[in-house]
Amino acid sequence: MKGESLMKINTRDMILISMFAALTAIGAQLRIPTEPIPFTLQVLFCMYSGILLGSKKGAFSQILYVLLGLAGLPIFAEGNGGPSIIISPTFGYLLGFIACAYVSGKITENFKDVNIFKIALATVSGLLVVYIVAVPYLYLILTKVMNSPTTLNGVVKTGFLAFLGQDLVKCAIVSATSVLIIPALRKSGYLEVKKEAVH
């Protein structure tokens, strides 16, 4: 309906938003215990949520995931939950996932025609947003809350550079698969393209 708010969510949207929140939670449990940040598949499903649901619904799925964890469900990468996670070094990544879903979805929406390179731009941009949010938060918690004798360079190495190669592989996986799915979602009318979208 013309003029209908994109903020309105129907039953199908609620199911898909919940599904991607659940997938992100599952991705958090598929982890390698590295320090100070465990390696997980959360960002993979985070990018999928933005690109396949759209910017707003994708972000909603990640907000739901974070809220469920804050409510106490043990769905975060450390196998924990509850409001105390806010002062955990990893909480910035959770906030970054929300921004990542929105940014990757928004960039995709701005392309009338999609190909693997355009989707790669969306995924890499979303990934960078995660780190723009998460690394300063990581540094702040480690130095101001945990009184860890770390440096900003050290945090960049352990919280960003150590994961960059693996995360770029995730971007490639999302790009290669999403480019096959997006046309079908657009044809069905589920994914909208902005009128001013570029080729």
Side-chain angles (χ1 to χ4, degrees):
M1 182 182 296
K2 188 175 181 179
E4 184 178 9
S5 173
L6 291 176
M7 300 298 286
K8 291 184 179 179
I9 297 175
N10 58 34
T11 302
R12 179 179 65 172
D13 293 335
M14 291 175 62
I15 293 171
L16 290 172
I17 288 169
S18 299
M19 182 183 76
F20 274 93
L23 287 172
T24 306
I26 293 170
Q29 306 312 310
L30 302 174
R31 65 186 185 276
I32 299 173
T34 53
E35 292 294 340
I37 307 300
F39 172 79
T40 73
L41 295 180
Q42 287 167 295
V43 74
L44 181 86
F45 294 114
C46 170
M47 290 186 287
Y48 271 130
S49 70
I51 289 173
L52 300 182
L53 297 184
S55 58
K56 293 183 179 180
K57 295 167 190 172
F60 288 163
S61 74
Q62 300 307 301
I63 291 171
L64 176 60
Y65 166 64
V66 173
L67 289 177
L68 290 173
L70 288 174
L73 294 180
I75 56 175
F76 294 139
E78 295 86 352
N80 60 353
S84 62
I85 195 71
I86 292 174
I87 57 172
S88 165
T90 62
F91 189 69
Y93 290 85
L94 298 173
L95 297 177
F97 294 157
I98 298 171
C100 172
Y102 183 83
V103 168
S104 58
K106 181 61 69 174
I107 291 174
T108 304
E109 291 166 3
N110 280 294
F111 289 122
K112 186 173 183 179
D113 302 313
V114 295
N115 57 43
I116 193 169
F117 300 107
K118 291 176 180 178
I119 302 303
L121 173 63
T123 59
V124 172
S125 298
L127 176 64
L128 290 177
V129 169
V130 172
Y131 287 117
I132 289 172
V133 175
V135 171
Y137 198 98
L138 174 63
Y139 177 74
L140 177 65
I141 298 298
L142 288 176
T143 57
K144 303 302 182 182
V145 177
M146 304 179 70
N147 296 316
S148 174
T150 188
T151 64
L152 182 58
N153 285 338
V155 169
V156 170
K157 288 179 181 178
T158 59
F160 171 49
L161 296 178
F163 295 94
L164 184 58
Q166 298 164 335
D167 283 343
L168 288 176
V169 171
K170 297 172 193 174
C171 289
I173 293 171
V174 174
S175 301
T177 52
S178 295
V179 76
L180 301 175
I181 302 171
I182 291 171
L185 292 176
R186 288 183 171 181
K187 187 176 181 180
S188 71
Y190 183 76
L191 274 180
E192 296 183 359
V193 184
K194 285 189 173 182
K195 291 181 180 180
E196 64 272 20
V198 297
H199 286 279

